[in-house]
Amino acid sequence: MKSATAIAGLVSARVRDRMVDRVRELGVRDPRVLEALRQVPRHAFVDPALASRAYEDTALPIGHGQTISQPYIVARTAELALQDCADPKQAKVLEVGTGCGYAAAVLAQLFGTVISIERVRALHELARNNLRPLRIANLRLAFGDGALGVVGEAPFDAIAAAAAGEEVPAAWIEQLKPGGRIVAPVGVDDQRMTIVSKDTQGRVQRRTTEPVRFVPLRGGTV
């Protein structure tokens, strides 16, 4: 059990501010994203044995071969999803790969509605337990094959993925609202963050940004 002193250290503004400063130094500039990182208690989403490392800019294991993404990656994904979004507080976003729920909580600070889907039942339940104390009203979790999207909630203003496929799944493009964008890592050995945008006529454009390293996008559920 953590001591009161250790817990106080984790929740202190200074610890979170250092994390945010590091993310800013790495290139994330959107003040809305930086404030969202500051608001979400990352230590609440990691194993207690790793809580002392919660505010390092590093990925940490959460079990089942998955990780909680480093804060920079969470922030960069959110920043790219926000770009060209005219009214984020009215936007509906799909996150593919809930994991422990941390990135979903960050996205929920920025967008009107966030749907987050996870294919691993144990992680879906972990995220639900992690998020319950935070009472985030505009965040809903789904269990299912994220590669298929969430048809019943479509269309989405943005889709953000936390796993890398060889291509962006066609289902995501179909479920993307005209004027929206997908932010997803693409590739196997050489992964790149990829932005897929759909214009108001439904035409699709792709561009890539920086190299990244994500877990593989897998189909089905376990």
Side-chain angles (χ1 to χ4, degrees):
M1 195 169 191
K2 298 191 203 76
S3 69
T5 302
I7 293 172
L10 289 172
V11 301
S12 74
R14 186 163 57 244
V15 171
R16 293 194 203 177
D17 285 346
R18 282 201 296 267
M19 179 188 75
V20 171
D21 288 345
R22 175 60 176 159
V23 170
R24 185 188 293 109
E25 289 168 3
L26 290 170
V28 174
R29 295 285 186 264
D30 193 313
R32 298 169 295 180
V33 175
L34 297 173
E35 183 58 27
L37 283 190
R38 191 176 280 110
Q39 291 299 319
V40 178
R42 191 171 187 251
H43 68 273
F45 294 87
V46 302
D47 187 280
L50 297 172
S52 63
R53 301 183 60 198
Y55 294 100
E56 296 176 8
D57 187 47
T58 188
L60 296 170
I62 57 173
H64 305 277
Q66 306 298 304
T67 61
I68 179 174
S69 295
Q70 69 183 97
Y72 167 76
I73 288 295
V74 172
R76 179 62 173 149
T77 300
E79 185 175 55
L80 289 169
L82 276 170
Q83 288 177 3
D84 301 325
C85 184
D87 190 356
K89 290 303 182 181
Q90 296 300 316
K92 180 187 281 190
V93 174
L94 172 65
E95 182 201 28
V96 178
T98 312
C100 63
Y102 174 67
V106 172
L107 290 170
Q109 309 301 307
L110 299 165
F111 295 97
T113 302
V114 175
I115 311 297
S116 184
I117 186 167
E118 173 58 54
R119 65 179 291 272
V120 179
R121 173 70 75 178
L123 290 178
H124 171 72
E125 296 300 334
L126 173 66
R128 190 176 297 282
N129 291 335
N130 288 341
L131 288 161
R132 187 175 291 114
L134 301 182
R135 299 181 181 276
I136 303 175
N138 63 325
L139 171 58
R140 298 198 294 275
L141 302 184
F143 172 67
D145 184 349
L148 302 178
V150 182
V151 175
E153 295 285 355
F156 299 100
D157 296 276
I159 298 173
E166 294 184 29
E167 298 289 345
V168 172
W172 299 357
I173 297 173
E174 292 169 7
Q175 293 172 34
L176 186 66
K177 188 180 293 185
R181 61 170 43 197
I182 298 167
V183 181
V186 174
V188 180
D189 297 322
D190 177 24
Q191 296 179 8
R192 296 274 171 171
M193 191 66 88
T194 300
I195 295 94
V196 177
S197 56
K198 182 187 285 187
D199 67 19
T200 53
Q201 281 74 49
R203 293 172 299 204
V204 174
Q205 293 185 323
R206 291 173 172 81
R207 67 181 177 90
T208 59
T209 60
E210 62 262 47
V212 290
R213 175 55 56 188
F214 281 80
V215 297
L217 177 69
R218 302 190 189 282
T221 57
V222 293

